[in-house]
Amino acid sequence: MGDRLFNASLVSEKISSSKSYTMIKSYTMMLGVLIRRSRFLQDISKYIQIATSGRFYEEFGDLLIRNNLLNTDQISNIREHAKKITFRTLFSKNYYESFDRYIMLFKEAFPNVLRIFRRTKRIHHRALAVALQSLEADIVLNKACKIINDNYPEVPIFTLHDSIITTEENVNLVKEIMHRTLEHYIGYPPVLKEDRWE
């Protein structure tokens, strides 16, 4: 996410902490500068490319296997296991990287990505998780659902985490609005998955 999107998405306001407003403002400005300076670095470009393809967990799972950190004989769902490791990498305390071999591998593959995530968690280790959850809720609930409610009040919608649930005849409309809204606020076209409830 470039600094324009960092500012437009109000990520700095979503970084929660008990620290003073002045400290947070200064801190988030420095974080914005770091993002702006890092956005064209090779590992960040690669991370963005893989993440926006919708195949990050599969790719990271392959990397874990190649580095003998996952045994395919013992694990049936590589994607789910890679997802858990990714979440542990992103949301654990910063000092874990000195002894956690999964985080060390992530750092080796994406050093500048981890540097930004580490910096985000510097005031409080939950800051990254809170900011991402808040951003996701804001885009799905306050933006996409609002567009649907304002323009198509007859369309039934329900939310579940980062998903919008609707009736079969409205799937394409909801999907198109969600796609457009996410691309506008994130800066990249999302890969949306459609699940049917039978």
Side-chain angles (χ1 to χ4, degrees):
M1 177 186 305
D3 62 313
R4 182 188 65 78
L5 288 164
F6 176 81
N7 294 326
S9 300
L10 303 175
V11 170
S12 62
E13 291 178 19
K14 292 172 176 47
I15 296 175
S16 116
S17 170
S18 60
K19 306 293 182 190
S20 72
Y21 173 79
T22 307
M23 177 183 254
I24 292 200
K25 189 73 176 163
S26 168
Y27 173 78
T28 55
M29 284 175 60
M30 290 187 304
L31 183 59
V33 169
L34 176 62
I35 290 169
R36 184 171 51 251
R37 288 182 178 161
S38 304
R39 68 182 183 252
F40 298 117
L41 295 175
Q42 185 176 2
D43 69 299
I44 290 182
S45 297
K46 182 179 179 184
Y47 178 83
I48 290 170
Q49 177 192 7
I50 296 170
T52 57
S53 75
R55 293 194 36 82
F56 182 80
Y57 301 127
E58 290 82 358
E59 297 276 341
F60 190 51
D62 289 344
L63 183 63
L64 290 163
I65 291 167
R66 285 195 308 272
N67 284 272
N68 299 315
L69 293 178
L70 283 185
N71 184 341
T72 55
D73 295 335
Q74 297 172 343
I75 299 167
S76 58
N77 190 337
I78 301 296
R79 184 187 194 281
E80 197 56 38
H81 205 72
K83 183 177 181 179
K84 286 178 186 171
I85 291 169
T86 301
F87 278 38
R88 187 165 88 199
T89 300
L90 300 183
F91 303 131
S92 63
K93 294 182 179 180
N94 283 340
Y95 68 83
Y96 282 30
E97 74 179 65
S98 60
F99 60 83
D100 187 300
R101 57 193 181 150
Y102 300 117
I103 299 175
M104 289 177 190
L105 179 62
F106 188 97
K107 182 179 181 179
E108 187 180 310
F110 307 107
N112 293 295
V113 173
L114 192 61
R115 190 166 141 231
I116 290 170
F117 292 154
R118 259 195 340 251
R119 182 75 56 92
T120 305
K121 297 184 291 183
R122 187 170 285 167
I123 287 180
H124 194 281
H125 86 273
R126 287 191 216 115
L128 179 61
V130 169
L132 291 175
Q133 288 170 350
S134 181
L135 179 63
E136 178 182 85
D138 186 40
I139 293 171
V140 174
L141 296 173
N142 300 334
K143 307 292 193 286
C145 286
K146 185 175 185 333
I147 291 168
I148 296 165
N149 280 330
D150 289 351
N151 297 293
Y152 306 96
E154 73 284 359
V155 173
I157 56 172
F158 307 92
T159 59
L160 180 65
H161 306 300
D162 60 351
S163 303
I164 299 177
I165 303 162
T166 191
T167 53
E168 190 170 352
E169 61 271 15
N170 294 299
V171 166
N172 289 335
L173 171 72
V174 169
K175 198 172 178 182
E176 193 272 322
I177 290 170
M178 200 166 172
H179 189 280
R180 202 175 40 203
T181 305
L182 283 162
E183 184 172 9
H184 175 75
Y185 284 97
I186 302 300
Y188 298 93
V191 176
L192 298 176
K193 188 174 139 195
E194 186 180 316
D195 286 331
R196 297 174 66 88
W197 287 4
E198 301 289 339

